Amino acid sequence: MAQAWKCTGLRWSAEGPVLTWDRGRRSPLSWGKRVAFGVAEGGVRECAGARGHACPVRAGVSARSTGGRCEECARLDRAHSVAADGIADDPRPYRVYLAWFGPGLVKVGITAVGRGSARLLEQGAVCFSWLGTGPLMAARRSEELLRAALRVPDRIPYGEKRAVRAALPAGAEERAAEIGELHARAVELTGWPESLARAPFQAVDHVRVFGLDTAPAARGEVTGLVAGGVVSGELVAAAGPDLHLATGAGAVVVLDTRLMGGWGLVSVGEGGEVTVPVREFKAEAHRQDGLF
């Protein structure tokens, strides 16, 4: 029987995306590399646990869950996160940013200064600009101010992000236009915390980093893995947790690597095809006004 491995996620390094596995194994990825694996026959998907600890009851989770955790482990994991304000006394400095994912999709967020732009790569931000730097709670108050005043959210579902990547403007200036306008409006607002040092507008574009400048547009997305199923394709782009794979049929399919967690995965031979459920993208307008 082939050895089964468990994926612990997609990480972004200075060299690009890296798949990580249990027992410390790492798989650096590059454009043109074949990504192929099968789900063990008869396997079930188990909870990924929380904060580096295994789920005490090894609970089963849905194949469609991107969190990959049972309800209790998900609660424990979020309780200690910055997003839940569970570490308000964190002494590290934080940055506030505006991130753009495609036409009509902009969000505001915060990240620790020490992480650089890693958080933006992990979220799949096509371009972004810093807004300011300061203590955690000042950054959090600024985030709330901007969310309310500019009518932009602090979260955008990954499904919406990947659906608009097929229609990105070709020019970097056009891609930065929305966050440029919002940045200009933001600096005119009153009520910024005094301890937050504001930053000038400077757009950082990730289209080339993600490989989206040369990759064909994706046609659909994997909705979940199944026991005995296979995923196989040539890596043409990656953004956030998503791998864009050119399949043997010629179409590009997006795999959210968070769907891999909890499954026992095995190697497959050459020429494998995608035999897991795939949903085609539908042409939709993504307009934020009126939604938030």
Side-chain angles (χ1 to χ4, degrees):
M1 179 180 294
Q3 181 179 12
W5 293 80
K6 288 194 174 180
C7 183
T8 56
L10 183 70
R11 303 289 183 264
W12 282 87
S13 70
E15 291 72 38
V18 178
L19 275 176
T20 59
W21 308 83
D22 57 356
R23 289 167 271 177
R25 182 184 175 190
R26 292 165 56 87
S27 300
L29 301 176
S30 56
W31 312 145
K33 183 171 184 175
R34 181 170 174 266
V35 175
F37 61 86
V39 183
E41 291 282 357
V44 295
R45 190 184 189 198
E46 295 182 353
C47 172
R51 317 303 296 177
H53 299 285
C55 176
V57 297
R58 299 179 65 181
V61 293
S62 167
R64 293 176 177 264
S65 168
T66 53
R69 293 183 172 88
C70 67
E71 185 175 339
E72 181 62 17
C73 286
R75 183 187 67 79
L76 290 172
D77 190 69
R78 183 164 177 79
H80 294 84
S81 71
V82 171
D85 288 335
I87 47 174
D89 58 347
D90 188 338
R92 297 176 298 171
Y94 279 77
R95 281 176 171 152
V96 187
Y97 62 80
L98 282 170
W100 184 86
F101 301 90
L105 291 184
V106 180
K107 65 157 283 188
V108 61
I110 69 172
T111 185
V113 169
R115 297 207 66 208
S117 60
R119 180 65 178 148
L120 285 305
L121 292 167
E122 292 167 356
Q123 292 189 39
V126 175
C127 68
F128 76 93
S129 177
W130 302 121
L131 278 162
T133 304
L136 173 58
M137 297 315 294
R140 180 65 77 201
R141 288 195 298 273
S142 301
E143 180 186 40
E144 287 299 309
L145 167 69
L146 297 166
R147 185 181 62 80
L150 302 181
R151 294 175 58 83
V152 294
D154 56 3
R155 290 191 184 94
I156 295 176
Y158 277 96
E160 293 184 31
K161 297 176 186 178
R162 67 178 61 101
V164 299
R165 285 188 206 132
L168 295 177
E173 290 187 5
E174 190 177 356
R175 291 192 292 269
E178 286 186 71
I179 56 171
E181 178 184 345
L182 288 170
H183 190 285
R185 289 169 54 192
V187 297
E188 295 177 355
L189 295 173
T190 59
W192 286 77
E194 292 183 3
S195 56
L196 192 100
R198 281 177 269 183
F201 178 69
Q202 185 173 2
V204 178
D205 194 277
H206 286 154
V207 162
R208 183 170 296 178
V209 175
F210 289 154
L212 298 172
D213 56 330
T214 57
R219 297 274 300 277
E221 61 184 334
V222 172
T223 58
L225 304 186
V226 294
V230 171
V231 173
S232 179
E234 176 187 321
L235 183 67
V236 295
D242 296 343
L243 301 181
H244 291 224
L245 303 175
T247 67
V252 174
V253 172
V254 179
L255 169 66
D256 185 336
T257 53
R258 296 175 301 170
L259 296 173
M260 297 167 64
W263 288 104
L265 305 177
V266 298
S267 60
V268 296
E270 295 289 335
E273 297 182 358
V274 176
T275 61
V276 297
V278 174
R279 175 175 56 211
E280 281 194 46
F281 291 138
K282 295 181 180 178
E284 296 179 353
H286 293 267
R287 293 186 60 83
Q288 251 170 221
D289 292 343
L291 293 179
F292 303 94

